[in-house]
Amino acid sequence: MRAAGLNAHVVEHRRIAFGPILRSRTSWLQSRGLLEGDDEKEELVIIRAERLP
């Protein structure tokens, strides 16, 4: 984002239980090493970006 002339920072983040899409892809994520064990939480992040002066 900085390369695009933006100053960005995380405004909010939360870990929540998987929604239906990630829950339906749990096996695929595990088979590729992207999900460890039976952890079924995802992190949602809100990023605020403002154009640098």
Side-chain angles (χ1 to χ4, degrees):
M1 291 186 172
R2 188 170 301 275
L6 300 172
N7 181 27
H9 62 278
V10 174
V11 174
E12 183 79 34
H13 63 91
R14 294 206 177 140
R15 282 188 54 82
I16 64 168
F18 280 176
I21 294 173
L22 281 179
R23 194 172 26 249
S24 72
R25 295 187 170 116
T26 299
S27 295
W28 182 85
L29 292 165
Q30 288 172 330
S31 71
R32 283 154 183 78
L34 300 171
L35 182 64
E36 296 181 6
D38 59 355
D39 182 24
E40 292 190 2
K41 298 243 182 202
E42 61 181 310
E43 186 170 15
L44 299 180
V45 180
I46 298 173
I47 300 171
R48 179 182 177 108
E50 298 175 304
R51 187 156 312 278
L52 294 171

